[in-house]
Amino acid sequence: MAKRRSTTGAALGAALLVAVMATADTVPSPSAAAVQHPHRQRALGQLPEARSDTVLTRQGRLQGVTAEGVTTYQGIPYAAPPVGPLRWHPPTAPPTWTGTRTAAEPGPACAQPEVPDSAEDCLYLNVTTPAAEADRAAPRPVVVWLHGGAFSSGSGDQYDATRMARQGDVTVVTVNSRLGALGFFAHPDLPDSGAFGLQDQQAALRWVRDNAGAFGGDPGNVTLMGESSGGASVCAQLTSPKAAGLFHRAVVQSGSCLQNWPKNTLAPGDPAATYFARQSELAAKGRGALGCRSLKCLRAKPVKDVLSLNGRFHQPAYGTSVLPDSPARALAAGDFHRVPVLQGNTRDEHRLFTALFTLDRPMTAADYRRLLTETYGRRQAARIARAYPPGPTPALAWAKVGTDRSWVCPTLAADRLLAEHVPVYSYEFADRQPPAPDLRPDFPLGAYHSAELPYLFGMGDLRLDDGQAALSRHMIAAWTTFARTGTPGDDWPAFPHTRRLSRSAFSGVDAAAEHRCAFWSRSS
């Protein structure tokens, strides 16, 4: 039977925070209970009335599992295992086989700390497609999903695409790509290094181009979609010359090209963080990495030793053939692929991170003012405190500052740059009662970072009530209509309109006003 790794509510956004924190030695890790990673649990889902189906790909024949109206093919290699001399090497051609390969279980997650079943041999993807119809003539749109996790954690099979494929009549591909130091290591003897994880994603897209038809998908209608660092990956591919022609629409969820976090934003004491860094700033030199002077030495190191470098190598490098310039500058210059974009955020992005770092001690008004001063300087801090007073729950004020300054307003700025050249559709996920981790009973998480994911995918043990399920159907309809046509629906105007997604209705919202973007433009 098909297997999927389970995902708990506490893990939805915590992986991003843990990985970013690794850049700051002075920041304590949150408790293990708060950030329990979904890969530490495996759930075997018994699928009712399952049967097997086969398809012929360019590598060989695959046997999948059909149940609940979809056929799923898991653990498909899209590139050679990146091990031995292929560590820190661009992905190479996938293996072929004779006979029929069983595709009923996912491949290993890409190597990541504290996940025992993760591995360096991890370049696998999963395909979920509506069960074959004998009389179907037209191919289906293809959605390629890039998971989040701060480029350091997660895997494609955590996301059950059954609902999206069945309701939206699309073929969904979920992808593993190299993470952390195995995916983004940069070295002077590797002149084009620092973006191996992005190259993996491009190899997966080429695999989709070559094989989508075998699964009933249309290789000429591919939507690249991702959340958090997966959304940042979509942004990177939008600006990568090597991704030209590999996808035809883009969905960016909570990961715009302009995303950035000033000091203290993700955790008190942490340095400023961005998604992308210049290759020369990342490159390991001399004995700077594991006591090695040569790549041969580095490639011989055990995986666990390499993962100890994740705190430094957890972001893609630019100044390479993959990313000649930073995505932010490329976007500003209009140097990106001309495809329609659906992009947005959750309404309360930063509450999850604030909750995690106030687990042991609630934030006081004095803490709040001190953090504002350390982050923005005394003069700006006073101005921000007037606009965002601490109130009875200073942590909520801090979360609002983080949501507006570092998440939503940068996304809207990116929307404006994109909209100069391509159709752009903006959304805000605003269900403030989503399935959520039980972190602090006294701190409402609201529409926290990653809260929209269970509405699009099955996520392990997370279940939707009737109101959530209705919103899920509306969202899947909009997302898959966008994948099919390049617009999320005739009643969804293009940017600068922003559509609020809530249980009561899809309605317009002035997101720039709600998140005080004029204030922040004067504060930058």
Side-chain angles (χ1 to χ4, degrees), residues 411-432:
T411 298
L412 294 173
D415 286 337
R416 285 191 289 275
L417 294 171
L418 289 162
E420 293 177 7
H421 305 279
V422 299
V424 175
Y425 299 90
S426 172
Y427 76 87
E428 176 184 85
F429 177 82
D431 184 1
R432 283 182 153 167

Side-chain angles (χ1 to χ4, degrees), residues 132-411:
E133 302 168 10
D135 59 349
R136 185 181 181 88
R140 298 179 176 89
V142 179
V143 174
V144 177
W145 173 254
L146 306 179
H147 68 81
F151 295 110
S152 299
S153 64
S155 65
D157 65 281
Q158 292 173 318
Y159 302 84
D160 182 353
T162 297
R163 277 184 286 137
M164 181 179 290
R166 186 177 58 217
Q167 178 192 326
D169 194 31
V170 295
T171 296
V172 184
V173 181
T174 64
V175 179
N176 290 356
S177 54
R178 281 174 283 183
L179 302 169
L182 289 165
F184 303 102
F185 182 73
H187 192 277
D189 292 340
L190 294 169
D192 210 24
S193 56
F196 300 111
L198 299 181
Q199 289 176 299
D200 294 342
Q201 295 165 7
Q202 292 172 359
L205 287 167
R206 289 192 294 272
W207 186 95
V208 168
R209 178 193 62 196
D210 295 342
N211 291 284
F215 302 89
D218 182 357
N221 186 5
V222 175
T223 296
L224 187 60
M225 174 175 161
E227 186 267 347
S228 196
S229 62
S233 295
V234 177
C235 151
Q237 303 300 354
L238 275 169
T239 66
S240 172
K242 293 196 170 184
L246 294 179
F247 60 97
H248 312 93
R249 325 202 191 287
V251 180
V252 181
Q253 300 176 207
S254 302
S256 81
C257 287
L258 303 187
Q259 211 77 70
N260 67 89
W261 303 275
K263 178 183 176 181
N264 296 316
T265 303
L266 289 174
D270 73 341
T274 61
Y275 275 133
F276 306 97
R278 189 180 297 278
Q279 185 188 34
S280 60
E281 295 170 358
L282 287 181
K285 300 174 183 177
R287 287 191 179 272
L290 305 179
C292 286
R293 289 188 181 275
S294 69
L295 283 173
K296 182 178 179 181
C297 170
L298 285 164
R299 284 179 168 138
K301 290 290 183 180
V303 170
K304 65 178 180 61
D305 292 350
V306 176
L307 293 181
S308 70
L309 301 175
N310 275 12
R312 181 173 179 186
F313 300 103
H314 68 91
Q315 57 197 133
Y318 63 87
T320 70
S321 65
V322 179
L323 288 181
D325 204 348
S326 73
R329 281 200 290 269
L331 201 68
D335 190 10
F336 58 88
H337 304 306
R338 301 298 194 250
V339 301
V341 176
L342 172 63
Q343 179 167 246
N345 292 94
T346 65
R347 185 175 181 178
D348 306 302
E349 290 274 8
H350 213 65
R351 288 195 187 184
L352 176 68
F353 308 101
T354 303
L356 284 169
F357 283 94
T358 55
L359 284 175
D360 297 329
R361 186 174 74 89
M363 183 181 292
T364 66
D367 294 332
Y368 174 68
R369 292 191 174 91
R370 175 180 53 78
L371 284 170
L372 288 180
T373 300
E374 290 177 359
T375 302
Y376 298 101
R378 190 172 302 278
R379 183 175 178 182
Q380 279 287 74
R383 183 170 175 265
I384 295 169
R386 288 193 296 272
Y388 296 81
T393 311
L396 283 176
W398 180 252
K400 178 64 172 168
V401 168
T403 295
D404 296 356
R405 158 62 180 81
S406 292
W407 294 94
V408 178
C409 294
T411 298

